[in-house]
Amino acid sequence: MRSLLFDPNTGKTISNEELFHNKLDFKAFAEKKFRAKYKIPAIKSINATGLMFEKEKFQLPENIFYTDKGLLLYYNSYEAASYDDGPKELLLPYTEVNDYLAVK
């Protein structure tokens, strides 16, 4: 899957960098939620349970979707795990992420 986000007023694309007030704060928040969902201990490497993040560091996915239920972080196969493990996703309710979002 691939997300393409556009500004409805200008028609220009919106990059993932533009989505957040402070991307580093959002990334830290998302990592905690990701670790909880996939049962990765906070004191262990993000790859401790078999994931394949580059340089053993959590990264936001290339594809971020606005859905009716919340912000979806979608990792395609090979982005965070092997093809056999399939895609990984994390749905974050807007009630939890609205303060981080520059684009709503």
Side-chain angles (χ1 to χ4, degrees):
M1 290 186 6
R2 176 131 165 83
S3 68
L4 296 171
L5 302 173
F6 297 92
D7 181 323
N9 298 318
T10 65
K12 293 184 179 183
T13 60
I14 300 171
S15 71
N16 286 355
E17 299 295 322
E18 299 172 279
L19 294 179
F20 308 102
H21 294 295
N22 185 319
K23 186 178 174 187
L24 290 178
D25 285 351
F26 178 75
K27 185 176 163 186
F29 167 79
E31 181 174 358
K32 286 179 188 174
K33 294 294 190 173
F34 188 92
R35 283 177 176 272
K37 178 176 181 178
Y38 291 103
K39 297 176 177 57
I40 304 166
I43 58 171
K44 299 264 186 167
S45 161
I46 192 70
N47 293 340
T49 60
L51 295 175
M52 299 168 47
F53 282 97
E54 285 187 38
K55 299 180 184 176
E56 305 257 339
K57 296 202 185 270
F58 177 81
Q59 297 297 323
L60 294 175
E62 290 181 23
N63 297 289
I64 299 175
F65 295 89
Y66 285 78
T67 74
D68 59 341
K69 295 180 180 163
L71 195 69
L72 176 64
L73 306 184
Y74 189 85
Y75 297 85
N76 279 305
S77 297
Y78 295 120
E79 196 171 352
S82 72
Y83 182 80
D84 285 344
D85 289 332
K88 301 290 181 208
E89 57 184 58
L90 179 64
L91 182 63
L92 302 168
Y94 291 117
T95 55
E96 294 181 14
V97 298
N98 268 339
D99 290 343
Y100 297 103
L101 294 176
V103 177
K104 297 180 183 180

